[in-house]
């Protein structure tokens, strides 16, 4: 068995990930926590509604999978949300339970009453958003933040301060405003917030370092996927010392969604050798649960959780899978499917199939001694049928073709 971190019995990634020229500047913290926001930001995806019972059920599943912190919701949204947060906080889960609140004392009071241990306190941070979207003077946002965070701290809550739209703020104004809140109110952690998913990976180091230089408190990440860069940005922020990742199951969330937990955790594990302590084998099951509850259908080839992620149609790749077998499966896949709760790889039949695909299917159905010419004819028929139906063939369709080509060999 290989002992290199990039090649284990469960995954096979690039050895370059671990080259000293690459890792020399890494500053990952000793412990990275996952803070799930599916129940709050995930539900902000248009059309998604979770009942209180569903939220409790999902929180239980997340806790069982080892998620460190769960943001149970914003109690001020509705009586149902208030009920859900209270029930989750009282459920005795292993995960630490947080609530989300606007920087309003009344919001924080509800969080305190729910019995959570911490609060993510949000306020607009970019002055243009404060003035144009909220129609507030900047001082109002500062005063509200000071009052709310101080109240939360005085009532025993941990405070993760959440400056909305931080990545479109001026750096000087952002840091100065954060310092005012930290000095006159209370801040236990600062969330690096990319509300609109607009920061590039090259700018993340600058963002994280500027905040770190000014504040000696833990940093958290909350990035969106509007340009598909949230996972990369999250990992780069972690490499600068951020300690908590705010993410959602399957990346559900506002607009293009939040950073997906599954892909982030798997990238850390296989490409950086960082095990955050999550039971990755539960990923597929929990993703299906969220898909059912939310009504948001995931792409069949979605990373980690796609239903057809380990289905192989291409003739070339099918040959790889056939040749490497179970022992060397990671020659054909970056990680073994069971690592994320998926089933074994399946060679499927379609327009892209090859001769080895037919051989595998003939063997599966106990059909022996087909000649090369017969297999070639079956393949031509399979391709034609797949093109006709614009999809994969099932067993009945395959057997019908086999019976047409080699009736004498069908049992």
């Amino acid at each position: 068995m290989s002992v290199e971190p990039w090649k284990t019995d469960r995954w096979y990634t690039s050895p370059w990930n671990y080259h000293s020229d690459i890792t020399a500047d890494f500053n990952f913290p000793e412990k990275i926590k996952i803070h799930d926001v599916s129940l709050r930001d995930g539900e902000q995806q248009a059309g998604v509604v979770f009942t209180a019972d569903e939220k409790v059920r999902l929180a239980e599943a997340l806790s069982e999978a080892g998620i460190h912190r769960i943001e149970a919701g914003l109690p001020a949204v509705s009586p149902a949300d208030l009920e859900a947060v209270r029930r989750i906080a009282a459920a005795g889960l292993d995960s630490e339970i947080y609530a989300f609140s606007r920087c309003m004392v009344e919001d924080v009071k509800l969080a305190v009453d729910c019995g959570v241990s911490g609060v993510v306190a949000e306020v607009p941070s970019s002055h243009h958003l404060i003035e144009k979207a909220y129609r507030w003077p900047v001082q109002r946002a500062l005063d509200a933040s000071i009052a709310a965070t101080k109240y939360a701290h005085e009532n025993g809550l941990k405070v993760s301060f959440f400056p909305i739209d931080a990545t479109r703020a001026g750096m000087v104004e952002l840091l100065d405003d954060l310092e005012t809140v930290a000095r006159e109110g209370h801040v236990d952690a600062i969330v690096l917030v990319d509300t609109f998913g607009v920061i590039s990976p090259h700018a993340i180091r600058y963002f994280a370092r500027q905040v770190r230089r000014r504040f000696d408190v833990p940093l958290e990440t909350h990035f969106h996927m509007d340009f598909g860069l949230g996972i990369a940005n999250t990992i780069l922020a972690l490499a600068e010392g951020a300690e908590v990742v705010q993410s959602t199951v399957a990346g559900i969330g506002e607009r293009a969604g939040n950073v997906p937990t599954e892909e982030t955790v798997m990238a850390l594990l296989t490409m950086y050798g960082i095990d955050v302590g999550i039971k990755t084998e539960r990923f597929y099951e929990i993703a299906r649960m969220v898909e059912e509850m939310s009504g948001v259908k995931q792409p069949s080839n979605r990373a980690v959780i796609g239903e057809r992620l380990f289905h192989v149609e291409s003739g070339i790749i099918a040959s790889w899978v056939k040749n490497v077998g179970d022992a060397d499966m990671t020659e054909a896949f970056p990680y073994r499917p069971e690592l994320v709760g998926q089933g074994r790889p399946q060679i499927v039949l379609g327009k892209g199939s090859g001769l080895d695909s037919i051989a595998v299917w003939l063997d599966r159905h106990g059909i022996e001694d087909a000649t090369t010419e017969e297999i070639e004819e079956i393949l031509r028929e399979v391709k034609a049928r797949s093109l006709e139906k614009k999809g994969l063939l099932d067993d009945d369709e395959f057997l019908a073709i086999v019976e047409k080509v080699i009736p004498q060999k069908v049992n």
Side-chain angles (χ1 to χ4, degrees):
M1 182 187 301
S2 175
V3 295
E4 294 92 346
W6 61 86
K7 188 176 191 300
T8 75
D9 60 342
R10 297 185 296 166
W11 63 78
Y12 190 176
T13 61
S14 173
W16 304 344
N17 296 331
Y18 296 86
H19 195 284
S20 58
D21 288 349
I22 304 298
T23 62
D25 291 334
F26 286 176
N27 189 31
F28 286 103
E30 290 186 10
K31 176 70 173 177
I32 293 173
K33 293 183 179 181
I34 302 299
H35 172 110
D36 183 87
V37 296
S38 304
L39 302 178
R40 197 272 307 171
D41 209 339
E43 195 182 25
Q44 289 181 209
Q45 180 168 333
V48 174
V49 177
F50 296 131
T51 67
D53 286 345
E54 287 172 334
K55 289 189 175 188
V56 172
R57 179 182 162 208
L58 180 53
E60 291 171 343
L62 291 169
S63 181
E64 290 168 2
I67 297 295
H68 309 99
R69 288 178 9 189
I70 297 172
E71 193 173 293
L74 172 54
V77 165
S78 71
D81 288 88
L82 179 63
E83 176 196 350
V85 177
R86 279 179 173 160
R87 288 173 59 185
I88 292 169
L93 303 180
D94 291 333
S95 303
E96 191 173 11
I97 307 303
Y98 273 55
F100 194 79
S101 80
R102 297 165 293 183
C103 277
M104 299 170 60
V105 171
E106 291 304 316
D107 274 21
V108 178
K109 285 181 178 178
L110 290 176
V112 172
D113 291 343
C114 285
V116 298
S117 63
V119 64
V120 177
E122 71 156 358
V123 75
S125 64
S126 56
H127 288 190
H128 55 84
L129 188 71
I130 295 172
E131 294 167 346
K132 294 181 179 181
Y134 285 76
R135 302 291 178 92
W136 290 356
V138 172
Q139 191 60 46
R140 176 178 172 181
L142 291 172
D143 291 343
S145 300
I146 293 165
T149 58
K150 180 182 289 188
Y151 181 87
H153 176 64
E154 290 172 349
N155 284 272
L157 295 184
K158 300 174 187 175
V159 179
S160 291
F161 189 61
F162 189 100
I164 300 172
D165 199 26
T167 56
R168 297 195 307 185
M171 183 59 74
V172 173
E173 72 185 34
L174 174 66
L175 295 177
D176 287 348
D177 290 349
L178 288 174
E179 186 168 305
T180 298
V181 176
R183 182 181 63 250
E184 300 181 28
H186 184 84
V187 171
D188 290 305
I190 293 173
V191 187
L192 306 176
V193 184
D194 188 23
T195 302
F196 296 100
V198 293
I199 193 169
S200 75
H202 298 88
I204 282 295
R205 175 176 289 184
Y206 170 76
F207 183 22
R209 288 184 175 181
Q210 290 297 316
V211 177
R212 169 66 71 210
R213 283 176 185 147
R214 185 78 76 92
F215 303 98
D216 185 23
V217 297
L219 302 183
E220 307 183 8
T221 67
H222 183 102
F223 300 151
H224 280 260
M225 297 292 289
D226 295 76
F227 290 91
L229 297 172
I231 300 168
N233 287 344
T234 296
I235 292 174
L236 288 170
L238 294 173
E240 290 296 328
E243 300 177 23
V244 176
V245 177
Q246 296 190 7
S247 59
T248 62
V249 174
I252 62 171
E254 188 79 39
R255 296 182 321 281
N258 293 68
V259 167
T261 301
E262 304 85 4
E263 296 163 47
T264 306
V265 169
M266 285 298 295
L268 288 169
L269 178 63
T270 65
M271 298 182 193
Y272 295 85
I274 298 173
D275 186 344
V276 300
I278 305 298
K279 297 174 184 174
T280 60
E281 296 82 4
R282 299 292 303 277
F283 280 161
Y284 185 76
E285 170 195 349
I286 295 174
R288 297 281 76 77
M289 178 189 300
V290 169
E291 185 175 72
E292 176 187 349
M293 290 177 177
S294 67
V296 177
K297 182 69 175 175
Q298 295 296 326
S300 62
N301 68 335
R302 176 75 187 248
V304 182
I305 59 172
E307 289 186 307
R308 289 184 176 176
L309 187 61
F310 292 94
H311 289 193
V312 178
E313 180 181 350
S314 166
I316 295 173
I317 311 302
S319 294
W320 295 0
V321 173
K322 175 177 176 289
N323 292 340
V324 303
D326 184 74
D328 294 309
M329 188 185 296
T330 56
E331 292 291 335
F333 300 96
Y335 51 85
R336 298 182 70 92
E338 60 267 28
L339 181 58
V340 294
Q342 292 262 28
R344 294 182 59 78
Q346 296 183 41
I347 294 175
V348 297
L349 289 185
K351 183 173 175 287
S353 295
L355 294 174
D356 276 341
S357 306
I358 303 301
V360 168
W361 274 59
L362 287 172
D363 182 68
R364 195 172 87 189
H365 288 283
I367 300 170
E368 302 175 347
D369 302 325
T371 66
T372 299
E373 293 76 13
E374 290 168 340
I375 291 176
E376 289 174 345
E377 177 59 24
I378 292 171
L379 178 59
R380 283 191 289 272
E381 294 280 346
V382 165
K383 288 177 177 287
R385 177 64 184 128
S386 177
L387 182 60
E388 178 186 2
K389 71 177 293 191
K390 291 182 67 65
L392 300 174
L393 276 66
D394 60 25
D395 287 280
D396 290 340
E397 290 168 319
F398 173 70
L399 289 173
I401 290 172
V402 173
E403 190 164 2
K404 173 184 175 182
V405 176
I406 50 173
Q408 70 279 11
K409 294 180 181 178
V410 178
N411 294 332

